[in-house]
Amino acid sequence: MSICCSAQKAKSKWGTQALEQRFKQKFPHLRILRIDSHSVLDPKHHAFECIAHLNEILTQYDLVIASPSLETGVSIDIRGHFDSVWGIFQGVQPVDSVRQMLARLRETVDRHIWVSRYGMGTVGNGSTSMGGLLRSQDIATQANIALLSASDNDDYSFIDQNFQPESLQTWGKRGAVINVEMRRYQEFVLKGLAADGYTIIDADDFDPDETKEVVNEVKAASKELYSGECLGISQAEEVSDAELKKLQEKRVKTKEERHQQRKAELSRRYEVEVTPDLVEKDDDGWYPQLRLHYYLTLGREFLTKRDSRRAKAQAEVGENAIWKPDFNKGQMLSSVLLLEKLNLLEFLKTGVRLRGSDAEMQQLKRVALENRYLIKTCLNVTISEKLTPIAIAQKLLGKIDLRLSYVGRLGSRSHRESVYKFVASDDGRDVIFKRWFGRDEQSNCESVSVTKNIDITTPVVDTTPLSNLPTNQHEGHSLGDGGEDNPVDSWWGQVKSYATLAMSRVTHGVDAVKQFLSTLNSDERWGVMMAIDEQEPQVFEQLVEAVPDWVTWMG
């Protein structure tokens, strides 16, 4: 028998490792071979480098459990050995990958599969059209560069944003297909298998008690396996930076070496002692959540330098060209500015009780709805009119791994309302933030020290007369730290006013809009289109429909 799985990690209840553990406990007499990206590169494992000799090796085993490492480039031609192929597809792989994996065994035997109704994860912002995916990347790139220019007071016009347009278009086409299929994962998998010539037969009714028993057994095996994995990583031998680099460059590794590498990476990432709890949190995606929280609070002063360094490094590697999806993924300034605009930190005051009807909560929902397109593009959080203010706050707080705790329903009998409050989390992030702050402060001091030893001619970056600059006495300006005008808010406010003027010209035809955009610079033109899409999506769609090649207007 052969089992195809979507995952291989110890944490996955239905991955290769957990199922191997369960079957070894349940059927100790079976000869079991696990094939995944770890086992085929572990010199101590029976599956080591087996891919090239599958037809000879597989006949030695009663049960083969495989991960997506057997999706393509493999043909299992043996006959009379496997009587069935089983598949557990949780929605991680693209639909085509499921079909390819089931077809690795060429012999016509029954396939028994369980397929998730919906897929996990999407490409880009989740748009189901190529235009939507590409447009979101274009807008995000322009916004990120504009924000960097305003915050860093530097010139980023040298960056070539038109790198490999054919490849980007292919990415958009394929991404849109995957996003459509993920929304109706099971349906598309079954349709694809039917198109491949399979006869689809619904499984007979199953015994709920028996199913529950199997699920509990798998969960127990997975929990035991994963606990051992986390403990093994935390107890692994410490390695030096040089040794870590060797491990990272090494293709063939034992389990012990993988644990050493993982512990070293976690130690350098969080700069605290590596414990089983830290390993589990990292597996759950804690690092990006903590990083966003850090740059939103204690590390805010280092954010611009961080994003600038990443942008310039990517441009240098690409000889001044960037791949937009990677560039946008590496920038955090837009996400932090959005959360600041939403006043998210105001809801993190301990002891304060919050209701959906509070003025602050209503303001949160209003601002979130106004910026829902940007929030989806930058934070990958979907905001809709149907969501309550509390639900919106919880979704946004989830991006930094925090949440509001339910207190109860308070108020008079006729006006009872759910009440929440923030309870500070004792998860160790404060210690990590202090370590990160010390690291960034030291790095910043070293940069300043180096700069002082170099004779640099200060370039003229702005010739605007001082008398024409806005002051913080003017109403409507957002104030940054120290009472100074925030250049990003000023720029974005100006762009929004341009967007209003552009929309007023739509009734006069697209040429009038194009003529108005021609009076702006490239960053402002992109900003205007982003603002129109955010404020009046119907107007934006009319423009796109009337001028499909509107991107050429951007210059």
Side-chain angles (χ1 to χ4, degrees), residues 57-101:
I57 293 174
L58 296 187
T59 55
Q60 303 171 26
Y61 294 91
D62 305 308
L63 173 61
V64 176
I65 307 173
S67 76
S69 57
L70 287 186
E71 275 181 12
T72 57
V74 173
S75 179
I76 302 175
D77 301 310
I78 56 179
R79 294 185 175 275
H81 182 70
F82 293 111
D83 56 10
S84 60
V85 174
W86 299 70
I88 304 172
F89 303 109
Q90 301 167 273
V92 178
Q93 308 153 265
V95 168
D96 287 349
S97 297
V98 172
R99 295 159 59 191
Q100 290 170 353
M101 196 173 184

Side-chain angles (χ1 to χ4, degrees), residues 262-519:
R262 181 77 191 286
K263 181 177 182 178
E265 290 170 344
L266 291 176
S267 175
R268 286 153 180 78
R269 178 179 298 169
Y270 294 98
E271 302 196 19
V272 294
E273 179 187 358
V274 177
T275 63
D277 182 59
L278 182 63
V279 176
E280 185 171 0
K281 286 179 178 177
D282 187 72
D283 283 338
D284 289 335
W286 203 40
Y287 179 65
Q289 295 171 323
L290 239 58
R291 186 179 56 182
L292 182 58
H293 190 192
Y294 170 72
Y295 283 117
L296 182 63
T297 52
L298 190 61
R300 182 64 177 84
E301 63 183 284
F302 306 114
L303 177 57
T304 298
K305 183 178 179 181
R306 180 258 180 204
D307 276 13
S308 174
R309 186 165 56 242
R310 288 184 67 92
K312 290 176 180 177
Q314 285 180 303
E316 182 180 354
V317 171
E319 298 180 350
N320 293 341
I322 57 171
W323 175 251
K324 290 178 182 178
D326 288 345
F327 176 80
N328 294 328
K329 192 181 296 183
Q331 295 295 299
M332 295 184 63
L333 187 57
S334 55
S335 298
V336 168
L337 286 171
L338 265 176
L339 294 179
E340 288 177 342
K341 184 181 181 70
L342 292 162
N343 288 323
L344 191 67
L345 295 180
E346 289 298 311
F347 305 111
L348 301 184
K349 297 177 180 178
T350 56
V352 177
R353 294 188 172 186
L354 301 168
R355 297 171 173 82
S357 60
D358 292 344
E360 296 85 353
M361 279 292 175
Q362 292 296 317
Q363 174 69 4
L364 170 68
K365 179 171 182 177
R366 190 158 47 247
V367 176
L369 287 172
E370 289 174 356
N371 295 274
R372 59 185 178 274
Y373 181 81
L374 275 176
I375 292 173
K376 179 63 178 176
T377 299
C378 299
L379 296 169
N380 198 25
V381 172
T382 301
I383 303 295
S384 71
E385 186 71 50
K386 296 178 181 178
L387 293 175
T388 65
I390 293 292
I392 291 174
Q394 297 285 39
K395 294 186 78 170
L396 294 171
L397 286 171
K399 299 300 293 185
I400 56 175
D401 192 36
L402 294 175
R403 64 179 293 103
L404 301 175
S405 298
Y406 178 71
V407 175
R409 291 180 61 81
L410 305 179
S412 61
R413 184 182 298 272
S414 58
H415 294 91
R416 286 191 179 275
E417 191 173 5
S418 296
V419 178
Y420 295 79
K421 68 177 181 179
F422 172 68
V423 179
S425 176
D426 185 21
D427 56 9
R429 70 178 66 195
D430 290 344
V431 175
I432 295 171
F433 286 178
K434 288 178 181 178
R435 300 283 175 85
W436 287 354
F437 185 84
R439 172 201 63 195
D440 290 343
E441 196 171 38
Q442 181 180 357
S443 176
N444 198 41
C445 289
E446 290 173 354
S447 299
V448 172
S449 177
V450 171
T451 303
K452 285 182 178 179
N453 293 324
I454 302 174
D455 183 18
I456 298 178
T457 302
T458 304
V460 177
V461 295
D462 193 350
T463 58
T464 306
L466 292 176
S467 59
N468 292 342
L469 289 174
T471 66
N472 57 18
Q473 297 173 352
H474 293 177
E475 294 183 0
H477 282 248
S478 276
L479 299 180
D481 294 337
E484 297 178 354
D485 286 325
N486 185 329
V488 175
D489 285 346
S490 299
W491 178 85
W492 183 237
Q494 186 66 60
V495 164
K496 283 190 173 182
S497 68
Y498 290 153
T500 301
L501 293 173
M503 285 187 285
S504 69
R505 286 163 169 75
V506 171
T507 55
H508 302 292
V510 293
D511 288 337
V513 177
K514 181 178 181 181
Q515 183 180 12
F516 172 73
L517 291 175
S518 68
T519 65

